[in-house]
Amino acid sequence: MSIGHTLLGLLESGPRHGYDLKRAFDEKFGHDRPLHYGQVYSTMSRLLKNGLVEVDGVEAGGGPERKRYAITEAGVTDVETWIRQPEKPEPYLQSTLYTKVVLALLTGRDAADVLDTQRAEHLRLMRVLTDRKRRGDLSDQLICDHALFHLEADLRWLELTAARLVQLATEVRA
């Protein structure tokens, strides 16, 4: 995810302080990975330097001065371009799991056990996400569906690989 573009998009609704941006980001997108304050402020400094935001005001308080940021026209254009650009599909051609299976076969370890252990972990996570989906709002439901569909595809791959394990062992040991 592009943190900079996401923060710019959040600024389109109006000027905000870094604290407000972090809170809005975490609320909408950061359930599983909230932003660190340092990340917000370093990103805002870069966006300011690149002319995508401007300081809309500074407030003195009990602590350090609080800058309020506003998006510029260049920032709006940048977000528009980013939103319209399709994401590159992830082909997963460099799978860590595939590497572990092949290395297990090459080193005489039980590759079926690797697949079984991974299957159990996928199923555990699917139960967690399904529970979260049931309790969540529409945003949570959609993000959980996205993750669940990917996990289902992984499970299909695990089953296919388990069915072809003898053949794979022959090929990788040749």
Side-chain angles (χ1 to χ4, degrees):
M1 174 189 314
S2 170
I3 304 295
H5 286 112
T6 306
L7 294 177
L8 282 173
L10 290 171
L11 282 173
E12 283 199 59
S13 65
R16 296 180 188 219
H17 296 96
Y19 173 81
D20 297 328
L21 284 168
K22 179 202 174 344
R23 191 168 32 97
F25 181 97
D26 289 351
E27 197 175 278
K28 299 286 185 204
F29 312 107
H31 290 104
D32 298 314
R33 250 199 254 168
L35 280 181
H36 297 285
Y37 284 105
Q39 193 173 13
V40 172
Y41 293 111
S42 64
T43 301
M44 295 312 296
S45 291
R46 190 183 77 250
L47 296 173
L48 185 63
K49 185 178 109 183
N50 293 336
L52 302 175
V53 298
E54 60 191 10
V55 175
D56 186 57
V58 178
E59 297 172 10
E65 291 182 336
R66 292 176 30 143
K67 293 179 185 173
R68 188 174 55 246
Y69 298 95
I71 192 168
T72 63
E73 284 302 314
V76 171
T77 301
D78 198 54
V79 170
E80 176 72 21
T81 302
W82 177 70
I83 287 174
R84 292 191 178 280
Q85 183 178 12
E87 288 297 309
K88 181 181 176 189
E90 301 276 342
Y92 299 106
L93 294 177
Q94 293 296 321
S95 167
T96 303
L97 184 53
Y98 172 78
T99 302
K100 287 181 175 187
V101 169
V102 170
L103 285 174
L105 292 170
L106 288 172
T107 59
R109 292 180 173 90
D110 188 354
D113 186 49
V114 172
L115 294 170
D116 289 342
T117 301
Q118 190 63 51
R119 183 181 304 105
E121 181 60 17
H122 271 60
L123 292 171
R124 183 199 64 76
L125 182 55
M126 289 176 84
R127 285 188 296 274
V128 169
L129 289 170
T130 300
D131 183 55
R132 177 176 162 181
K133 179 181 162 181
R134 272 191 221 117
R135 291 181 287 109
D137 60 12
L138 181 59
S139 295
D140 236 14
Q141 291 169 15
L142 290 171
I143 198 68
C144 287
D145 278 338
H146 187 263
L148 286 164
F149 292 150
H150 281 276
L151 290 169
E152 287 173 5
D154 287 350
L155 283 176
R156 287 193 310 268
W157 182 85
L158 289 165
E159 295 302 321
L160 178 67
T161 303
R164 295 179 172 174
L165 210 46
V166 172
Q167 181 184 356
L168 180 61
T170 302
E171 285 188 20
V172 299
R173 291 180 183 150

